[in-house]
Amino acid sequence: MTTQTTPPKSPDIPAAGAPAGLIGIPERIARALATGGGVLAVVSTFLAWTWTDEFPGDLTFYGYPGGLQVLVLIGGALTALFGLATYGVKGLGWLTPAGGDAALKLTSLATFATAWYTVLAISFRLGGVVNLEPGGYVVAVVTLAGVLGALALPFERPEPDPIDPEASRGERFRHDAAHGWHVVKASFAAGTPRPLRRLPASLEILVIVGILAVCLLVFTYGIGTEYDELFIGFLITAGFCFAALHKAGLIAHATRITARHQNITICGAFVAAACFPFTQTDDQYATIGVYILIFATVALGLNIVVGLAGLLDLGYVAFLGVGAYAAALVSGSPSSPFDVHFPFWAAVLVGALASLVFGVLIGAPTLRLRGDYLAIVTLGFGEIFRIAANNLDGTSGPDLTNGSNGVSSVPDLEILGFDLGVHHVIGGVTIGRFANYFFLMLLITAVVVLVFRRSGDSRIGRAWVAIREDETAALAMGIHGFRVKLIAFAVGATLAGLAGTVQAHVTYTVTPEQYLFAGAIPPNSAFLLAAVVLGGMGTIGGPLIGAALLFLIPNKLQFLGNYQLFAFGLALVLLMRFRPEGLVPNRRRQLEFHEEAAAPDVLSKTGA
């Protein structure tokens, strides 16, 4: 007679004897501490944390959260919700399709880190903890208790009892039912959340609208942080909360919904981006926005070369420079040796064709190389371009680029009588110069996304992927490797030159120092490659998100001075350690990096 074992009610509540966390606190008490800490953290944000307004952020008011208190409020609210979801509260099960313990820990850490960072910043800036009001002490105590409770939760689940390989099908079924929570946990580790009921198409579209609205809100808040402490707190909260949503399975579930409505998602993303200038009152942050779009467009072009074709190009920023120089020379600049002033469409064609020609000329002799050798040659090309542009000053060489002074005083664009260099009023909102260029770059980004999507789904796109995965096998299957790689190189160079034509008019001046291999501020070849890898190779959203982060974060961390690159590099190391497949991973690459975790899920689906 087979004895059945009653499984636990939830994957989040293990059976008796389960291993504890870092701290020896009973699990029920630990869960209550974590959840209660989140609730009390929310309450503490309505208290004053300091008595003086010398610390920015309006932390002296009762009943009105401001500045860093808002971030603690968000972290505490998420902690409370995840804690209640792990208790099985009706109506909150959708929050944790992949389990809530890990998400509860991460949101508790986010709340604790942001709160204690704020308390310490107030103390150091104002000269001691005596400058704290009761709310500051309360939030420090409750978030500490909450994070201790979260860390006391189990980090692993007990292994299921071994099953006899000769057991009958019925015995196997009863065994899996008794220990089904462990099988589910293994599939969670593989990134596969518990299946949720599929919503009607109209509701899924509303979910997509909500996701895009949240993304716009987060980006606008991050780019508009007015002081250094607030931006650091924003990074802490956003980083931990994103990881928590991923561990809870909400990111994977949202990815499935957007994948089912890909066209609507892409169109909605561009509509949300077009709303960004209307959220700004001046050009201060629209300036950063237009540079982010230039950087993102070039990164998406590099994604064709690196992400689809698998060609490591370390000199890609040179194609951006070729397009910028070509457009600047024919756009009526007084420092140009050519006395011509082409209209915008002609300047765009000149910049894109110049980059195309250079891409073919450089790719033809070098693409017969592979791997590290190709990377070294492309790195050399990038340096040759910069040095050549520096020497074409009429002294060391022909007078073409004006040497280190560059091509200056590039006039603003005028399209169909619409001058992008002056302010315009649209719907009662004043749109400044950089906002005008933001809309132009948004259109160019849409063109680049369309090219990437269509080429990736085409026959040539499948050939690129085959070359990337195994060039020898692709050649054996009849793919013309050199021609396919040259097309990828040429398309990527053309897209970079297209973005370069707008960059020349946005910056007014094109100089060789703008196109280094590495530097503190992008765009440069190292940051472009990092944007593709960290964002997610072979995807559309990955390089766009990666480029936005890699441009925004160094720009906001300039107050760190000499420690800026150290802090930034440390953040990249941590990101690659915990999410090597990128923020928006390609499914194939995600499985490559998590083969061991995915194995149980694959075996369970195949019945092995």
Side-chain angles (χ1 to χ4, degrees), residues 150-384:
L151 293 178
L153 295 175
F155 279 90
E156 60 184 15
R157 307 302 187 198
E159 296 292 331
D161 298 333
I163 186 171
D164 184 3
E166 302 297 330
S168 66
R169 186 180 183 89
E171 290 174 342
R172 285 175 177 270
F173 176 80
R174 286 190 293 271
H175 179 274
D176 288 343
H179 302 280
W181 61 268
H182 179 81
V183 176
V184 172
K185 187 262 179 186
S187 66
F188 295 161
T192 305
R194 183 167 61 243
L196 294 177
R197 183 173 60 88
R198 183 165 177 174
L199 300 173
S202 57
L203 291 181
E204 288 188 340
I205 292 174
L206 288 178
V207 170
I208 293 173
V209 172
I211 292 172
L212 294 176
V214 170
C215 291
L216 177 62
L217 178 64
V218 171
F219 177 76
T220 304
Y221 186 90
I223 203 174
T225 49
E226 299 177 352
Y227 51 96
D228 303 334
E229 291 86 355
L230 183 60
F231 183 71
I232 293 178
F234 167 75
L235 289 181
I236 295 172
T237 304
F240 276 111
C241 288
F242 176 83
L245 294 177
H246 169 68
K247 287 293 186 179
L250 291 176
I251 299 295
H253 189 60
T255 302
R256 287 195 180 91
I257 293 177
T258 55
R260 287 197 287 266
H261 308 277
Q262 194 172 40
N263 292 331
I264 294 176
T265 302
I266 293 176
C267 294
F270 280 102
V271 171
C275 294
F276 168 72
F278 295 98
T279 65
Q280 307 301 309
T281 56
D282 53 40
D283 262 2
Q284 180 182 1
Y285 301 120
T287 305
I288 301 177
V290 68
Y291 284 122
I292 287 176
L293 279 181
I294 293 174
F295 186 29
T297 302
V298 181
L300 194 57
L302 178 61
N303 197 26
I304 292 179
V305 180
V306 177
L308 293 183
L311 306 173
L312 184 55
D313 189 350
L314 297 182
Y316 187 76
V317 75
F319 298 124
L320 175 68
V322 170
Y325 265 105
L329 291 173
V330 300
S331 294
S333 170
S335 58
S336 171
F338 308 110
D339 189 17
V340 294
H341 189 173
F342 287 5
F344 168 68
W345 64 268
V348 167
L349 289 179
V350 169
L353 288 176
S355 295
L356 171 62
V357 171
F358 270 84
V360 173
L361 292 178
I362 299 302
T366 61
L367 288 177
R368 300 186 187 278
L369 302 173
R370 296 187 188 182
D372 298 339
Y373 300 101
L374 176 62
I376 293 172
V377 170
T378 54
L379 175 61
F381 163 65
E383 291 301 300
I384 288 172

Side-chain angles (χ1 to χ4, degrees), residues 272-540:
C275 294
F276 168 72
F278 295 98
T279 65
Q280 307 301 309
T281 56
D282 53 40
D283 262 2
Q284 180 182 1
Y285 301 120
T287 305
I288 301 177
V290 68
Y291 284 122
I292 287 176
L293 279 181
I294 293 174
F295 186 29
T297 302
V298 181
L300 194 57
L302 178 61
N303 197 26
I304 292 179
V305 180
V306 177
L308 293 183
L311 306 173
L312 184 55
D313 189 350
L314 297 182
Y316 187 76
V317 75
F319 298 124
L320 175 68
V322 170
Y325 265 105
L329 291 173
V330 300
S331 294
S333 170
S335 58
S336 171
F338 308 110
D339 189 17
V340 294
H341 189 173
F342 287 5
F344 168 68
W345 64 268
V348 167
L349 289 179
V350 169
L353 288 176
S355 295
L356 171 62
V357 171
F358 270 84
V360 173
L361 292 178
I362 299 302
T366 61
L367 288 177
R368 300 186 187 278
L369 302 173
R370 296 187 188 182
D372 298 339
Y373 300 101
L374 176 62
I376 293 172
V377 170
T378 54
L379 175 61
F381 163 65
E383 291 301 300
I384 288 172
F385 164 77
R386 183 178 61 83
I387 295 172
N390 226 352
N391 291 332
L392 296 178
D393 56 358
T395 302
S396 303
D399 186 9
L400 182 62
T401 64
N402 205 22
S404 59
N405 294 323
V407 181
S408 60
S409 301
V410 180
D412 282 307
L413 290 172
E414 187 173 337
I415 304 175
L416 300 176
F418 189 88
D419 190 350
L420 273 65
V422 299
H423 292 68
H424 300 275
V425 178
I426 300 178
V429 179
T430 301
I431 304 297
R433 175 180 181 271
F434 284 100
N436 295 331
Y437 281 105
F438 181 90
F439 288 122
L440 176 61
M441 272 309 307
L442 196 61
L443 291 176
I444 293 178
T445 304
V447 172
V448 175
V449 167
L450 179 63
V451 171
F452 181 91
R453 235 189 123 188
R454 299 298 294 174
S455 59
D457 294 337
S458 65
R459 180 179 179 182
I460 190 67
R462 292 193 293 271
W464 287 338
V465 174
I467 291 290
R468 180 193 68 192
E469 295 299 321
D470 192 329
E471 184 171 352
T472 303
L475 295 176
M477 294 299 294
I479 296 176
H480 196 299
F482 173 74
R483 182 174 62 191
V484 167
K485 291 190 291 185
L486 185 60
I487 293 175
F489 219 70
V491 172
T494 304
L495 297 180
L498 188 64
T501 60
V502 178
Q503 186 202 32
H505 294 84
V506 171
T507 59
Y508 287 129
T509 303
V510 182
T511 60
E513 287 70 24
Q514 294 175 334
Y515 309 104
L516 300 171
F517 168 72
I521 297 295
N524 54 62
S525 292
F527 273 78
L528 287 170
L529 184 60
V532 174
V533 175
L534 296 177
M537 293 198 300
T539 63
I540 295 177

